[in-house]
Amino acid sequence: MRRFTALRGATLTALALSTTLTAAPARAHTARPLGIDHCTATACHFDVPPGTYDVTVRLGAATASATRITGETRRTLLPETAVPAGGHATRSFTVDVRTPEGEPTGPDGTPGLDLALGGSAPALDAIRVTPAGHARRILLIGDSTVCDQPADPYSGWGQQLPQYLREGLSVANHADSGESTVTYLQDPRLWAAVRPLIRPGDLVLVQLAHNDKTTDEATYRANLETLVAGIRDRGGQPVLVTPVVRRWFNADGTLDNDTALLVNGLGVDHPAVIRSVAAAEDVPLIDLTAKTKQLVESLGPEASKALYLYNEKRDNTHTSVHGATVFAGLVRDELLARHLVPEGRVRV
């Protein structure tokens, strides 16, 4: 495990947020806060074991600054935050540290917690990292449109959701590229590994449809019911999410076709089945198909390209960082509207 030597200067100082935020040397298993001596001007590394951690940062410098914080596998944990010259702003968030740190079938990644400081003029004044006491978690089960994508220009909406949450509410993204309801249930690295992690009170959002191209309706419905029952058996609260639309326009500028709306080659209307299971099982539903359809159609064929990777890859399914951020905002809005998360834990 690597460590960073702290840099002293105008951008990064050793000033403390308070007596509880003073930078203090610490080891991975100590309860004492980890501080700014684990940071450089552009990154921080903390030798901590897997778990959930509260992070409090003080941003600002003698000159005007704008700081964005990402962590682990390119998760956006704090949106770009502007601070005027000579001022300071304190922000807190909760982060999930796990192995593998990104997709469940991907590489392990770097042990510990890694944060990257970005933005147009990043300035970290102080930082405190402590184990989270009783943070509530949002676990995500999904495919490549949800997962923590390892490399630019790709991004899943689950990768961008953490920036909308405050301390006390974390995202544990167990979505994985290429998965259908069939493969997610079959692969021992996925459902069999995720299910034991679910704790009473956890929200578990399920969005699987894009890769169920050859799954018949009865099997698809049964797989969703299996996931719902397994989440409830662990004391979690399942939330079914219909899939984001593909950017596939008709000549009249609408998305009313099977490709856009995730109707597979067998005629299985995935969003319709998800809605039906949610109603039958009394499970909260986030109709992301309807929300993203409305948004993409309102933007039209040209402006909607920026949400996806059309310009970079001629890809009308996977989202850019911008698109994933916008879609994550829709999920945030739905979580609030359905009172699934407390308002005080969410950035709006």
Side-chain angles (χ1 to χ4, degrees):
M1 299 184 208
R2 66 186 184 279
R3 287 187 180 275
F4 294 116
T5 302
L7 300 182
R8 310 300 182 188
T11 303
L12 185 62
T13 75
L15 294 176
L17 293 178
S18 67
T19 56
T20 61
L21 211 65
T22 302
R27 294 186 300 275
H29 297 279
T30 183
R32 296 177 63 193
L34 295 165
I36 205 166
D37 56 335
H38 294 264
C39 302
T40 70
T42 58
C44 301
H45 175 75
F46 302 94
D47 289 338
V48 296
T52 308
Y53 294 88
D54 291 332
V55 180
T56 300
V57 296
R58 187 168 76 169
L59 309 174
T63 57
S65 64
T67 308
R68 177 175 179 259
I69 299 178
T70 57
E72 299 296 87
T73 305
R74 303 176 59 242
R75 304 176 215 159
T76 303
L77 302 171
L78 187 71
E80 186 159 331
T81 302
V83 181
H88 292 93
T90 300
R91 299 289 186 271
S92 298
F93 53 86
T94 301
V95 60
D96 174 65
V97 177
R98 61 182 183 271
T99 303
E101 68 177 33
E103 294 179 274
T105 63
D108 284 353
T110 304
L113 171 60
D114 287 286
L115 304 176
L117 309 175
S120 56
L124 176 65
D125 187 59
I127 186 169
R128 178 185 64 195
V129 176
T130 56
H134 301 285
R136 191 181 187 195
R137 297 183 305 169
I138 301 175
L139 280 73
L140 304 180
I141 291 172
D143 53 34
S144 58
T145 64
V146 184
C147 75
D148 287 351
Q149 290 281 359
D152 281 328
Y154 295 88
S155 182
W157 62 254
Q159 200 165 19
Q160 302 302 325
L161 185 60
Q163 66 185 293
Y164 292 114
L165 308 179
R166 301 180 189 274
E167 181 180 317
L169 189 60
S170 69
V171 174
N173 192 350
H174 296 278
D176 197 71
S177 293
E179 306 301 341
S180 65
T181 57
V182 175
T183 60
Y184 204 96
L185 287 169
Q186 288 178 343
D187 193 324
R189 296 169 295 178
L190 298 171
W191 178 236
V194 174
R195 186 175 178 274
L197 301 177
I198 300 171
R199 301 186 306 227
D202 285 342
L203 280 181
V204 186
L205 275 57
V206 178
Q207 186 216 279
L208 287 166
H210 278 87
N211 300 302
D212 280 280
K213 298 172 184 177
T214 60
T215 309
D216 63 80
E217 182 169 339
T219 301
Y220 186 65
R221 179 182 294 273
N223 289 344
L224 292 175
E225 291 169 347
T226 296
L227 290 166
V228 167
I231 293 165
R232 283 176 165 164
D233 285 346
R234 294 290 300 172
Q237 181 175 4
V239 179
L240 293 180
V241 184
T242 60
V244 299
V245 295
R246 293 189 176 99
R247 184 191 161 276
W248 202 270
F249 282 92
N250 297 327
D252 63 359
T254 66
L255 297 176
D256 293 315
N257 58 76
D258 289 355
T259 300
L261 299 182
L262 284 297
V263 179
N264 75 8
L266 301 178
V268 180
D269 185 333
H270 293 105
V273 176
I274 295 169
R275 295 177 188 119
S276 174
V277 172
E281 299 292 329
D282 194 24
V283 173
L285 173 74
I286 293 178
D287 199 339
L288 203 52
T289 304
K291 293 293 182 180
T292 54
K293 178 179 185 292
Q294 181 182 34
L295 173 62
V296 173
E297 284 183 340
S298 70
L299 291 173
E302 188 60 35
S304 63
K305 290 178 180 178
L307 296 174
Y308 295 83
L309 294 176
Y310 180 85
N311 294 324
E312 298 86 351
K313 303 285 185 178
R314 295 296 187 268
D315 186 334
N316 291 308
T317 298
H318 297 97
T319 48
S320 62
V321 171
H322 167 66
T325 301
V326 172
F327 290 171
L330 296 177
V331 174
R332 180 269 319 270
D333 293 345
E334 291 297 291
L335 290 172
L336 282 173
R338 281 154 181 71
H339 306 291
L340 294 170
V341 294
E343 291 184 10
R345 299 296 186 190
V346 178
R347 293 188 178 92
V348 294

